[in-house]
């Protein structure tokens, strides 16, 4: 048996940050564009853009800035706030995974269930 | 912002225990029957029974024993293994929730994002 865990952040009951949203931001960072990120994730540009705008609107700050001549054809880069958010979320996720794995091993001993 | 978290247990990549499955077992315990539990949860008897059998088959032990004259019309009670599993899972869940809440408060300080 193995323990699985998941965390996400909500604001007023709406999701604002999660593993999937992290992957989207990291893909934008890597490709330098929303189009490239969407293609890598196998979703439409429209869908990726929609996720971004919903996150930004709920968080109350910008996650991505587009360059002049930007938009669909142009480039996009993460804001400092997006980088901070990503880093903190991943810290939290890693820390939690370690804690949960340790507690699972303590609580569910081999003697009980294997 | 608030942190949300979820844990579940898998065996060979298949879910064997989760919050929803806990609720089903506790409803069976409370009502003394699968029928009563299914009704409370707003799912069919067939569906509740299916969840139970899948869990039992993956775990390799019985979670519910039915009384003589049992089956759909009769009574059902949790096995000792089911009670142990429930208790351990809830311990793990509570412990994790406390840890995640604490870490979230440490990592995401008010100064950063509010």
């Amino acid at each position: 048996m193995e323990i699985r865990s998941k965390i996400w952040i909500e604001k007023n009951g709406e999701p604002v940050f999660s593993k999937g949203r992290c992957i989207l931001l990291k893909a934008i960072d890597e490709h330098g564009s929303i189009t490239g990120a969407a293609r890598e994730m196998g979703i439409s540009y429209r869908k990726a853009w929609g996720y971004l705008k919903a996150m930004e609107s709920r968080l109350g700050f910008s996650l991505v800035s587009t360059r002049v001549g930007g938009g669909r054809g142009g480039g996009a880069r993460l804001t400092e706030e997006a980088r901070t958010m990503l880093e903190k979320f991943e810290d939290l996720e890693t820390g939690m995974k370690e804690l949960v794995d340790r507690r699972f091993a303590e609580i569910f001993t081999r003697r009980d269930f294997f």
Side-chain angles (χ1 to χ4, degrees), chain A:
Chain A
M1 291 199 296
E2 60 212 1
I3 188 79
R4 301 288 312 274
S5 57
K6 190 179 165 176
I7 56 167
W8 66 102
I9 297 173
E10 292 188 353
K11 197 166 174 178
N12 306 323
E14 302 262 31
V16 291
F17 223 78
S18 63
K19 181 83 183 169
R21 287 168 173 86
C22 270
I23 294 171
L24 173 62
L25 290 181
K26 289 168 90 165
I28 292 172
D29 194 32
E30 193 191 327
H31 292 276
S33 77
I34 300 173
T35 316
R39 195 182 300 126
E40 186 191 311
M41 295 182 72
I43 60 175
S44 66
Y45 172 86
R46 195 189 170 81
K47 193 156 191 174
W49 188 87
Y51 278 129
L52 262 182
K53 293 300 139 181
M55 286 163 80
E56 290 182 336
S57 141
R58 289 169 193 162
L59 285 167
F61 53 79
S62 292
L63 293 168
V64 166
S65 61
T66 42
R67 281 198 295 269
V68 174
R72 182 151 190 168
R77 61 192 307 269
L78 301 188
T79 61
E80 275 315 301
E81 287 86 349
R83 285 185 204 286
T84 307
M85 191 84 194
L86 256 180
E87 197 183 302
K88 283 172 181 275
F89 188 81
E90 291 189 325
D91 274 3
L92 191 62
E93 206 176 32
T94 307
M96 193 200 57
K97 198 177 163 347
E98 283 162 10
L99 290 164
V100 168
D101 286 351
R102 183 149 24 98
R103 276 190 70 96
F104 180 68
E106 281 163 15
I107 294 180
F108 287 83
T109 59
R110 191 158 274 274
R111 192 163 39 86
D112 291 324
F113 287 112
F114 289 82

